[in-house]
Amino acid sequence: MKILVTVKRIPDPDEPLKFSGGVLDTSAVKWVPNTFDEYAMETALRLAEHVGGSQRLAEVIVMSICPAGQRQHVTQFLAMGGDRAVVVDHDDRALDAQTVAEAIAAVWKRESCDLLIAGKLAQDMEGNEVAQRAAALLGLPQATFAATVAWDREAGSLTVGREVDDGVESKKIPLPAVVSVDLRVVLPHSVKNGATPDDHAYQEGPRLASLRGITMAKRKKVDVVSLADLGVEAKNTSPIVHAEPPPPRPPGQIVESVDELVEKLATEAKVL
Amino acid sequence: MSTPFRVDLDDLRFVLFEQLRIDETLQRVDRYKELDRDLYDATLEEGAKIAKEVLHPVNRPGDLEGCTLDGDGNVTTPKGYKDAWRRMAEGGWIAPTAPPELGGGGLPAVMAMALNDMFIGAATAFMMYPGLTAAAGRMAQAHAPEALRALVAGKLFAGQWAGTMCLTEAGAGSSVGDNRAKATPTDEPGVYELEGEKIFISGGDHDLAENIIHFVLARTPGAPAGTKGLSLFLVPKFMFDEKTGALGERNGAKVVGIEHKMGIHGSSTCVLALGSDRPCKGWIVGEECEGIRLMFQMMNEARIGVAAQGESMAAAAYGYAVQYAAERVQGTDIREYKNPEAPRVTIDRHPDVRRMLMTLKVHAETMRAAMLRLAMNFDMSEQLDDEADRKRLFGRVELLTPVLKSHCTDTGFEMAVTAVQVYGGYGYIAEFPVEQLVRDAKIQSIYEGTNGIQAMDLLGRKMRMEGGALFMGWMQEGQKLVAEAKAAGLAAADAVGKAIGQLGAAAMHLSKLAAGGKIAEAFYMAVPFQSAFGIVVCALEALDQARIAKAKIDAGDERPLLRGKLRNLEFYTAHVLPKAVAFAKTVQSADASALDESLFP
């Protein structure tokens, strides 16, 4: 089995953003992997590894679209335990979601993958559309917002618990398939592969890379390809026209009475 | 509300890649030529996560809970320690420099130092266990009996087993030559039975690893008195199969008490009885009476490790204080003193708080540079092809070890106290992290050879090695940097140059005293001399950093960090460096008042 995990680099959400001339100034930005993609990676690794055994059940291929010289997030994913990587050498910020999905579909076909695992959205744009678009392009079943994943290797299917508005929906999909993951997929018991004991408790959260993993990451294979190599045309049908920070929040007010509060909520805040 | 733990990756990167340029320097040696900037960066990023997510969460609970001892000599560490240890061990972070052939990460010492900068401040007491274990692993790798070497070193490096060093006894602390523990040969070649009692043994027992390897100093029958008669033994908690490492029966090294201390509560400080309830077996390490020489290898490493602790305490203290001061609102801007309507400001707007923050910043950053440089010199002293180069760099490490051990630990404590001062009343409250820092830091100027012992090592041994050539070489290199900095237009270079001169004059004065038979008078001034030395060593780092920053600023680099380096040099020259000159004057003062026999009769 081959699992393709996609990772987007985003400006560090813990750092303040800088704007200049109506655009986001990324010149001094620290790039980090999108957190939901880290969850996707953790999911893939839990499916691929047999805790207590030595056999690996799947190959995990990391894919990212980024300038080839700025792929530290890919190195990090390889250090976590990915087997190899495909880097599409392009500034991802100049591409729309459809083009990104087309590139993913092209890599999927090139590598003859069986499972795509993606974060449900990227924290910078919060689009929540790439995995769905890729599934459509590939004509594959999909299960989005996965909170639990159980792999039935005999049947070649996944049972996915999906976070939906009124609870968790359980959905069984045949492989090959597309899964996008949500936060709770990295709880200690969320992923089962039928080989690792079902009661095995993983460390909560995406795993930290080991020192050995970091050293090994440098030796792992990274294919650098262009969009043209993949037969994908670079498009941006939804360019950013203007970006500016939100206005600063006005200071809080202390009111004298409940009446005054209600009055202000109704007239100033207009929430009543 | 508490203050989050911060690591200063930007400054670490500045020192590693812009000042020391380790990626270029270390690629010159075979052992590290495959390591590059990317790998170092990834290691730092992941190390920062370990510090924040794995280590720091056990720091305060460990302080509150401490260690407990049961009736069978088993120590339980605070809640969370086991899990943190497991995660450190799984990730290979216990001994980052361990050779890849023994399952280690194969990092240079300078990177391990960078990790320690983040790790120790995050969880000071916890980090004692990995620190000692890694040092014990290297000791085993170098000197353990051939048949055990790879097995024991590998288990220690992997964190499956842990390690200690056992020197101190009730009557033999600073005076290690008074050791009385006995070792008697058995029928089995190389195996001895030990009897005695060791005290103040950090990590003497705990529940983190499945076995513990003690390196113990003891005296064989008929051995001469003093340090010359000491031999070194490898004493396991559980006996083990020499081929597989499978654990056997309990050996007779048993903890009979743990100390209740001012700080580092999570670190078990043990009284270790040898052969009290059952025979205590140990393998001799090296030959009989070679113990002190071999142990000194571990001691020297531990001294550098303690210097790193001091540095890391200052880094943590600065991190806490600067964040707190940016949030805590109190008082108004002093320039608005006539305006009753003036808005309240955060305390980092007040000049005296800024002075304290700058004190924290310059000490944290200059000590970081000095420690990383020491570690890089250590790497090069092991790996360079040219023997003369190796010897010169090792000499530099030897010379600066006591200087930095004392400077970093004295200053680290002082910076923890300064951080409390920045916090004001809340700094004294246990809810905030800085009071623990003060308690945890105090031991560092005491253990692994008190700073007084360091000064005696500096004066009695290091300054005299190779006829004083180590010191002369350091002075020459310092003056060369001063000349370069001056040529680059840094006005403060002169003051640093003068301070080096003053230090040289103080050294000359001491050697005259000693040559004239005034040994007590010379050693009476050992600590002031050492203090002056430490301040000047770090002044050179401030100067070097400012020189590099200036060149980059002149070339259009606008990072605030660089401007900060120029300000560091100004501040250091005005507020810190004069203390070195004052200490140098003290050294040359001819004072011997305290040596008057009628005092303290």
Side-chain angles (χ1 to χ4, degrees):
Chain A
M1 166 130 127
K2 279 188 191 174
I3 305 177
L4 185 66
V5 174
T6 52
V7 50
K8 180 179 185 184
R9 58 172 194 147
I10 61 168
D12 187 344
D14 294 333
E15 302 280 328
L17 291 173
K18 265 176 44 185
F19 295 87
S20 62
V23 292
L24 187 60
D25 177 5
T26 56
S27 57
V29 145
K30 185 186 161 203
W31 297 99
V32 297
N34 172 37
T35 302
F36 286 100
D37 297 339
E38 292 190 74
Y39 302 157
M41 187 62 187
E42 178 63 29
T43 308
L45 292 171
R46 288 183 188 185
L47 288 174
E49 72 194 0
H50 177 185
V51 176
S54 54
Q55 205 194 344
R56 196 135 157 124
L57 307 177
E59 183 184 26
V60 178
I61 304 167
V62 179
M63 171 189 171
S64 189
I65 305 175
C66 58
Q70 296 172 28
R71 56 173 196 246
Q72 220 201 335
H73 56 297
V74 175
T75 307
Q76 186 194 319
F77 274 38
L78 291 175
M80 285 170 79
D83 294 292
R84 58 188 175 90
V86 179
V87 166
V88 182
D89 183 12
H90 203 97
D91 181 3
D92 59 299
R93 305 186 75 76
L95 302 175
D96 58 21
Q98 179 64 16
T99 310
V100 171
E102 285 171 10
I104 293 170
V107 170
W108 165 287
K109 286 181 191 154
R110 248 169 83 115
E111 300 289 347
S112 313
C113 295
D114 303 289
L115 176 60
L116 169 66
I117 308 183
K120 72 166 181 183
L121 54 78
Q123 289 158 289
D124 55 349
M125 305 305 262
E126 302 207 333
N128 183 4
E129 53 184 321
V130 167
Q132 294 89 328
R133 285 176 186 269
L137 286 170
L138 291 164
L140 293 174
Q142 57 171 315
T144 52
F145 319 137
T148 60
V149 178
W151 178 16
D152 184 340
R153 281 178 297 141
E154 294 279 301
S157 66
L158 297 176
T159 303
V160 178
R162 303 181 58 237
E163 304 248 9
V164 290
D165 284 347
D166 49 356
V168 176
E169 176 194 71
S170 189
K171 187 171 179 180
K172 189 168 175 182
I173 52 172
L175 290 169
V178 173
V179 171
S180 81
V181 298
D182 209 335
L183 167 70
R184 285 199 284 173
V185 80
V186 291
L187 288 177
H189 295 284
S190 294
V191 179
K192 307 206 186 298
N193 65 4
T196 299
D198 275 0
D199 60 356
H200 177 75
Y202 277 96
Q203 186 77 42
E204 185 172 325
R207 67 194 57 193
L208 300 177
S210 70
L211 202 44
R212 199 167 178 72
I214 294 167
T215 324
M216 297 301 290
K218 296 297 293 181
R219 306 208 179 114
K220 289 178 177 171
K221 192 173 151 220
V222 179
D223 277 328
V224 178
V225 298
S226 65
L227 282 175
D229 293 339
L230 297 173
V232 173
E233 185 199 340
K235 302 179 294 299
N236 194 356
T237 52
S238 49
I240 294 171
V241 178
H242 183 80
E244 61 181 298
R249 264 213 331 227
Q253 302 176 32
I254 294 173
V255 294
E256 297 294 327
S257 65
V258 173
D259 288 345
E260 191 189 343
L261 175 66
V262 172
E263 150 81 18
K264 279 182 184 289
L265 286 174
T267 57
E268 281 181 30
K270 299 198 168 79
V271 293
L272 292 182
Chain B
M1 189 193 88
S2 191
T3 319
F5 177 72
R6 187 193 79 155
V7 298
D8 199 342
L9 277 181
D10 287 344
D11 194 54
L12 272 169
R13 286 205 173 96
F14 174 79
V15 179
L16 292 171
F17 306 124
E18 297 182 72
Q19 190 186 5
L20 303 177
R21 296 194 295 199
I22 65 159
D23 41 344
E24 295 162 35
T25 313
L26 290 175
Q27 270 183 353
R28 287 178 11 222
V29 301
D30 261 5
R31 188 176 179 84
Y32 302 122
K33 72 166 182 270
E34 282 188 18
L35 308 185
D36 60 9
R37 170 80 197 254
D38 266 7
L39 185 138
Y40 293 139
D41 264 328
T43 306
L44 292 173
E45 290 286 342
E46 219 59 18
K49 287 187 210 162
I50 296 277
K52 286 190 253 190
E53 295 171 28
V54 177
L55 296 171
H56 191 61
V58 304
N59 192 44
R60 186 166 141 80
D63 180 55
L64 293 175
E65 191 180 328
C67 295
T68 51
L69 174 68
D70 73 10
D72 293 325
N74 300 311
V75 172
T76 305
T77 55
K79 214 166 88 203
Y81 267 43
K82 263 176 112 155
D83 194 46
W85 176 273
R86 180 184 57 75
R87 295 184 70 186
M88 292 283 284
E90 278 174 5
W93 303 99
I94 302 261
T97 62
E101 53 279 17
L102 287 173
L107 287 184
V110 63
M111 281 301 292
M113 185 63 75
L115 292 171
N116 271 337
D117 174 291
M118 306 188 261
F119 289 178
I120 295 170
T124 314
F126 176 86
M127 279 305 295
M128 307 256 318
Y129 299 101
L132 282 161
T133 298
R138 277 185 288 275
M139 176 72 126
Q141 188 197 349
H143 301 297
E146 191 75 46
L148 308 178
R149 203 168 279 183
L151 173 78
V152 175
K155 294 272 188 194
L156 289 166
F157 288 146
Q160 262 178 292
W161 295 0
T164 77
M165 50 196 293
C166 306
L167 290 88
T168 304
E169 296 177 10
S174 291
S175 160
V176 69
D178 295 335
N179 247 281
R180 284 178 314 185
K182 282 194 306 190
T184 318
T186 64
D187 296 342
E188 214 179 317
V191 178
Y192 289 66
E193 257 187 46
L194 285 91
E195 276 179 276
E197 190 168 276
K198 295 285 174 182
I199 64 165
F200 293 171
I201 305 307
S202 299
D205 192 69
H206 54 77
D207 52 1
L208 304 177
E210 53 191 47
N211 201 6
I212 298 174
I213 298 294
H214 307 284
F215 282 103
V216 182
L217 280 183
R219 207 175 291 281
T220 49
T227 52
K228 280 195 288 264
L230 294 173
S231 303
L232 183 63
F233 298 89
L234 186 163
V235 177
K237 175 180 175 184
F238 289 100
M239 300 309 289
F240 56 88
D241 185 287
E242 294 183 22
K243 294 240 154 38
T244 64
L247 297 187
E249 56 187 46
R250 187 78 165 81
N251 193 23
K254 180 184 173 183
V255 171
V256 293
I258 55 174
E259 308 294 344
H260 301 277
K261 307 184 295 291
M262 177 180 179
I264 54 167
H265 292 159
S267 169
S268 65
T269 305
C270 303
V271 181
L272 190 68
L274 307 170
S276 67
D277 64 341
R278 58 171 73 91
C280 178
K281 285 191 182 176
W283 286 271
I284 190 158
V285 177
E287 303 290 326
E288 280 192 16
C289 299
E290 264 196 324
I292 198 72
R293 182 178 68 79
L294 298 176
M295 192 55 130
F296 251 96
Q297 181 186 322
M298 197 165 170
M299 281 285 286
N300 280 333
E301 190 180 326
R303 286 177 175 180
I304 294 172
V306 175
Q309 289 184 328
E311 183 265 306
S312 188
M313 301 315 267
Y318 172 46
Y320 288 133
V322 74
Q323 294 180 89
Y324 183 77
E327 282 179 2
R328 171 77 173 153
V329 175
Q330 191 91 166
T332 55
D333 190 315
I334 186 72
R335 283 160 291 206
E336 301 265 359
Y337 68 97
K338 283 183 179 158
N339 173 10
E341 301 291 310
R344 313 278 110 182
V345 295
T346 51
I347 61 172
D348 63 1
R349 300 296 102 198
H350 301 315
D352 184 59
V353 174
R354 298 182 79 78
R355 182 192 57 79
M356 290 191 281
L357 292 177
M358 198 63 181
T359 305
L360 286 154
K361 173 170 149 59
V362 296
H363 281 303
E365 294 180 5
T366 55
M367 291 194 295
R368 171 177 293 133
M371 288 309 299
L372 289 169
R373 188 188 299 276
L374 184 82
M376 187 180 77
N377 283 341
F378 180 77
D379 284 322
M380 301 301 273
S381 79
E382 284 197 317
Q383 302 296 337
L384 282 179
D385 287 335
D386 185 80
E387 198 189 328
D389 283 345
R390 284 207 308 271
K391 204 169 153 227
R392 181 178 57 82
L393 289 170
F394 191 69
R396 178 65 51 80
V397 172
E398 290 223 278
L399 175 71
L400 294 186
T401 296
V403 176
L404 286 172
K405 194 278 182 181
S406 55
H407 178 73
C408 293
T409 57
D410 283 339
T411 309
F413 177 70
E414 205 184 306
M415 291 308 103
V417 172
T418 303
V420 170
Q421 195 70 21
V422 170
Y423 275 68
Y426 283 112
Y428 200 68
I429 306 283
E431 195 182 329
F432 289 90
V434 285
E435 67 85 30
Q436 183 190 341
L437 216 50
V438 173
R439 288 183 292 104
D440 285 352
K442 186 53 229 169
I443 187 60
Q444 293 158 1
S445 62
I446 299 170
Y447 60 18
E448 296 315 333
T450 65
N451 289 359
I453 294 282
Q454 302 300 324
M456 292 171 70
D457 176 45
L458 176 64
L459 214 59
R461 258 186 86 232
K462 304 295 171 65
M463 294 293 289
R464 295 169 56 204
M465 279 162 85
E466 297 174 36
L470 301 187
F471 182 65
M472 294 302 291
W474 172 83
M475 287 222 305
Q476 280 164 6
E477 221 172 278
Q479 293 293 14
K480 195 170 143 237
L481 173 64
V482 166
E484 281 172 29
K486 205 172 156 181
L490 287 169
D494 271 338
V496 179
K498 279 184 191 148
I500 296 175
Q502 284 293 310
L503 188 70
M508 193 68 84
H509 178 80
L510 289 177
S511 85
K512 275 189 198 144
L513 276 183
K518 295 193 161 180
I519 305 290
E521 285 79 355
F523 278 96
Y524 174 55
M525 291 299 179
V527 164
F529 175 72
Q530 179 173 254
S531 301
F533 202 160
I535 292 169
V536 179
V537 166
C538 285
L540 285 169
E541 297 300 346
L543 188 62
D544 191 36
Q545 296 197 336
R547 180 182 64 92
I548 290 160
K550 185 166 188 300
K552 294 194 182 237
I553 291 169
D554 291 348
D557 195 333
E558 291 177 348
R559 281 173 295 161
L561 181 144
L562 299 177
R563 190 179 167 82
K565 295 298 181 188
L566 295 184
R567 295 302 192 195
N568 277 4
L569 178 63
E570 291 167 26
F571 186 88
Y572 202 98
T573 313
H575 292 254
V576 186
L577 195 59
K579 294 180 187 171
V581 178
F583 281 129
K585 275 190 183 159
T586 301
V587 172
Q588 299 170 74
S589 66
D591 168 54
S593 54
L595 300 178
D596 182 339
E597 294 288 339
S598 68
L599 294 170
F600 326 119

